[in-house]
Amino acid sequence: MRSLLAALVATTCLVSVAEAATVFPLDRATILAGSPFDMKVEFDAVVAPGDVTVTINGEPAEKVLGKSVAFVEKEKGVDASAVIVRAASIAKPGTYTVEAKAGGETKTVVWEVFATPSTPTAKNVIFFLGDGLSVAHRTGARLMSKGMHEGKADGRLNMDDIPPVAFIGTSATNAVATDSANTMSAYMTGHKTAVNAIGVYADRTKDPFDDPRVENIAEALRRTTKKSIGVVATSEIEDATPSAVVGHTRLRAEKAALVDDFFAVKPEVILGGGSAYFLGKATPGSKRKDDKDYVQMFRDAGYTLATSKDELATAAGTNSGKILGLFHTGNMDVTLDREFLKKGTVSKFPNQPGLVQMTQVAIDELAKNPDGFFLMVEGSSIDKMSHPMDWDRALVETIEFDKAIGVAVEFAKTHPDTLIVVTGDHTHGVSIVGTVDDDKPGADMREKVGTYAEAGFPNYEDKDGDGYPDRVDVSRRLMLFANNFPDYYETFRPKLDGPFEPAVKNEKGEYVANEQYKDVPGAVLRTGNIPRNGDTAVHAVDDVVLQATGPGAEGFRGYMEQSDVYRALVDALAIAPVQN
């Protein structure tokens, strides 16, 4: 009788070859040499361990993976068996064919294990992620910030001088359309996963914490280097994008657990919103269900706490080496509200820093490490304002994101060993079609939309030279439209009273146009083209643009999957050189 261990490292199903079993990591996975990962094989029936074998390149899987395995006769909530190998790794680069057999059925997947160059090209990596950043956001930010006349822009964004080098595919393992969890997880792990999943392959069980894990970039850096790590975002720091740098869960909504992951990795700099998940449940405003006080735990671990832009400036001068900045219980207010309109929740949180200050503090702090650093900076609310089609707020967020990129560009001038990457995690279905001109006669706002020669040029001004338009409610404005939307009233105007809420739920539980905007002069009802359970516009499937400059930028070329981007990042840092 074959050994139980040899049997456990395999799995397949007893039905058809195509659906016989699911093997994680999935077919065509790329795995960093030496990087820990969980292997799982899911049967679609109950099987006996003696009926199962799994081999890798013809050898027993346990021999190749160097780990014992667990056989689960019936997974919780599933009338089927599974085999799981936790924290396995493969040291030698190459192609690995995994063959799982059960009875007469076979499932085969192929993995590529890769090593990095032996010598790093970059000491520091600054990874800028504009959440939802689309081409229209870039164009609109340039027009709004710099202006245009006679068909040529009157200035350039910082990102305009970073070469666009690749188109990036954003789809998930379970859908062509995706979210920020899978997309950022793919960037940060080298493994694509399912919608809502972070740092794991999404299996069939309901438990959001038992899915097969893969190592993220923060863990890889901790395992192989002495580099510092920073995470900066204007969202809750436990939101999908920032938490994907450190986290593991099938459900991105498990924000309290993602704080646990931050504490496990302990990035030297953590700046953003989301303090509600750092506070024990007895603290007013807490969203935790336990008594863990992570603010105090981080303090005990040597972190300087900042809760306002003044405290952040003070923390930057303490030389503590570690800064935890939490500036809002939830998502931080957007730039248009925080700096200009004083809407949103600014009255409750009047002293929030912006992305530019947070980026500057993070770079200054991390750069003290002679071994270098990895910093992720997210412009979170480009996405959060694009969902409700609040285009003025989204474009001003893009301008702020670009100004943060400028901080990194200046740093790289004196630190040429720095790789800067700028990209989005997914796109939005947004385009600039022309302008809307209040000075055109009549009350019908639709007739004030100018296309082709009738568009002219928008008349934003920046008299104080701060890079932001002095006003967004100028007489001739950019006209942006989404290609997907719920029922809503298009007002053709900036939303000066607060962020736009296009649709609200009716008594049937369906989302209908928000009648708050019905009586705005010239408002037009647009009948939606997404299901009625959607309250905002959704992500698009279009490729995103990736830009890169500095040592290692040559690793990004042509069409790439998001999981390929991880490989280019770790190649630049040479964190897994070939072992002789």
Side-chain angles (χ1 to χ4, degrees):
M1 173 181 272
R2 74 174 66 109
S3 73
L4 176 60
L5 288 180
L8 293 183
V9 191
T11 300
T12 186
C13 141
L14 302 176
V15 190
S16 68
V17 174
E19 299 178 356
T22 300
V23 178
F24 300 110
L26 295 169
D27 189 38
R28 299 182 292 168
T30 53
I31 302 170
L32 180 66
S35 178
F37 65 93
D38 295 345
M39 176 183 177
K40 183 181 182 184
V41 187
E42 293 181 339
F43 301 88
D44 70 354
V46 175
V47 299
D51 293 335
V52 182
T53 59
V54 174
T55 60
I56 300 178
N57 285 355
E59 295 188 278
E62 64 177 352
K63 179 180 178 181
V64 177
L65 299 177
K67 283 283 184 175
S68 60
V69 300
F71 178 78
V72 182
E73 182 180 4
K74 286 188 178 182
E75 291 199 276
K76 187 175 181 179
V78 182
D79 192 21
S81 304
V83 168
I84 304 173
V85 186
R86 298 289 187 188
S89 64
I90 301 175
K92 184 178 179 181
T95 300
Y96 289 81
T97 300
V98 183
E99 187 175 78
K101 294 182 179 180
E105 304 297 342
T106 301
K107 175 71 174 184
T108 300
V109 301
V110 178
W111 302 334
E112 180 191 355
V113 176
F114 69 94
T116 66
S118 57
T119 303
T121 55
K123 176 181 176 181
N124 312 307
V125 172
I126 306 177
F127 189 89
F128 283 95
L129 193 290
D131 200 315
L133 183 66
S134 308
V135 171
H137 291 115
R138 301 164 185 263
T139 306
R142 186 185 310 109
L143 289 167
M144 184 178 274
S145 173
K146 307 300 180 182
M148 171 179 281
H149 75 279
E150 296 179 346
K152 291 186 178 181
D154 295 331
R156 300 173 69 85
L157 299 172
N158 292 300
M159 70 176 82
D160 288 338
D161 294 320
I162 299 177
V165 291
F167 283 114
I168 309 297
T170 65
S171 297
T173 57
N174 62 337
V176 65
T178 190
D179 75 326
S180 296
N182 157 69
T183 50
M184 189 59 172
S185 182
Y187 280 145
M188 295 293 103
T189 68
H191 296 261
K192 284 205 170 191
T193 186
V195 174
N196 290 322
I198 294 171
V200 299
Y201 278 100
D203 68 14
R204 64 193 175 189
T205 64
K206 292 184 179 180
D207 187 339
F209 305 114
D210 70 350
D211 302 73
R213 290 190 172 204
V214 291
E215 185 180 53
N216 54 52
I217 196 165
E219 292 167 330
L221 290 169
R222 285 286 188 253
R223 179 174 58 83
T224 63
T225 77
K226 295 181 180 179
K227 292 183 183 297
S228 293
I229 299 167
V231 181
V232 175
T234 53
S235 67
E236 294 173 311
I237 205 69
E238 319 85 7
D239 203 7
T241 299
S243 65
V245 180
V246 301
H248 303 276
T249 179
R250 172 64 182 91
L251 295 177
R252 57 182 285 183
E254 296 287 349
K255 295 180 181 179
L258 289 166
V259 175
D260 302 349
D261 291 335
F262 269 101
F263 192 72
V265 173
K266 296 184 182 66
E268 280 75 7
V269 177
I270 306 170
L271 305 176
S275 63
Y277 292 98
F278 281 73
L279 303 170
K281 65 180 181 181
T283 304
S286 170
K287 291 187 177 181
R288 295 193 69 87
K289 297 179 181 179
D290 57 33
D291 295 318
K292 291 181 179 179
D293 181 351
Y294 273 103
V295 169
Q296 189 58 50
M297 291 166 67
F298 273 100
R299 278 175 159 169
D300 292 343
Y303 284 74
T304 299
L305 177 67
T307 61
S308 69
K309 61 183 178 183
D310 295 332
E311 290 182 1
L312 180 59
T314 300
T318 61
N319 292 318
S320 66
K322 299 177 182 180
I323 302 175
L324 173 64
L326 299 171
F327 309 106
H328 200 291
T329 53
N331 297 316
M332 297 172 66
D333 283 289
V334 299
T335 311
L336 187 58
D337 291 321
R338 188 185 70 245
E339 300 295 335
F340 303 104
L341 300 179
K342 307 302 180 183
K343 298 295 184 179
T345 60
V346 172
S347 61
K348 295 180 180 179
F349 303 92
N351 203 22
Q352 302 168 58
L355 192 65
V356 178
Q357 182 187 1
M358 291 194 291
T359 301
Q360 185 71 69
V361 169
I363 290 176
D364 289 347
E365 190 66 33
L366 297 171
K368 296 173 183 177
N369 185 343
D371 289 305
F373 64 86
F374 174 85
L375 171 63
M376 192 290 296
V377 178
E378 183 195 25
S380 313
S381 290
I382 299 170
D383 172 79
K384 295 186 186 304
M385 293 297 101
S386 295
H387 277 291
M389 300 172 287
D390 197 329
W391 303 122
D392 297 282
R393 284 180 171 81
L395 294 188
V396 173
E397 286 302 284
T398 308
I399 295 171
E400 183 189 47
F401 179 66
D402 183 71
K403 290 167 79 70
I405 293 169
V407 173
V409 170
E410 285 301 310
F411 174 79
K413 288 178 181 178
T414 55
H415 297 77
D417 49 5
T418 301
L419 169 64
I420 299 174
V421 179
V422 178
T423 190
D425 52 351
H426 55 74
T427 58
H428 275 274
V430 53
S431 292
I432 303 171
V433 300
T435 62
V436 56
D437 190 343
D438 286 343
D439 292 334
K440 287 184 177 180
D444 188 344
M445 291 300 294
R446 179 175 174 179
E447 293 303 319
K448 295 176 184 286
V449 174
T451 61
Y452 301 109
E454 293 298 315
F457 300 104
N459 57 358
Y460 302 103
E461 292 182 309
D462 179 20
K463 292 182 179 179
D464 61 7
D466 65 354
Y468 297 105
D470 300 330
R471 297 172 51 191
V472 295
D473 59 336
V474 293
S475 62
R476 187 185 295 135
R477 305 175 294 274
L478 291 174
M479 190 65 246
L480 283 73
F481 286 109
N483 62 18
N484 65 85
F485 45 86
D487 292 0
Y488 81 102
Y489 286 97
E490 176 58 65
T491 68
F492 304 93
R493 294 177 173 86
K495 312 304 185 288
L496 301 182
D497 292 333
F500 189 38
E501 186 180 9
V504 294
K505 191 175 287 188
N506 66 11
E507 64 279 358
K508 297 180 181 179
E510 299 173 335
Y511 281 96
V512 297
N514 187 346
E515 297 207 351
Q516 171 185 345
Y517 304 99
K518 180 179 180 180
D519 296 327
V520 174
V524 174
L525 175 64
R526 297 188 77 193
T527 301
N529 59 4
I530 62 171
R532 290 180 176 82
N533 64 356
D535 60 336
T536 65
V538 299
H539 302 164
V541 184
D542 311 355
D543 296 346
V544 297
V545 177
L546 183 141
Q547 299 165 262
T549 186
E554 66 279 0
F556 307 93
R557 289 292 184 271
Y559 174 79
M560 302 175 72
E561 301 291 350
Q562 285 175 317
S563 47
D564 300 331
V565 170
Y566 175 83
R567 182 167 183 171
L569 294 174
V570 297
D571 276 353
L573 295 170
I575 67 173
V578 176
Q579 301 296 316
N580 294 324

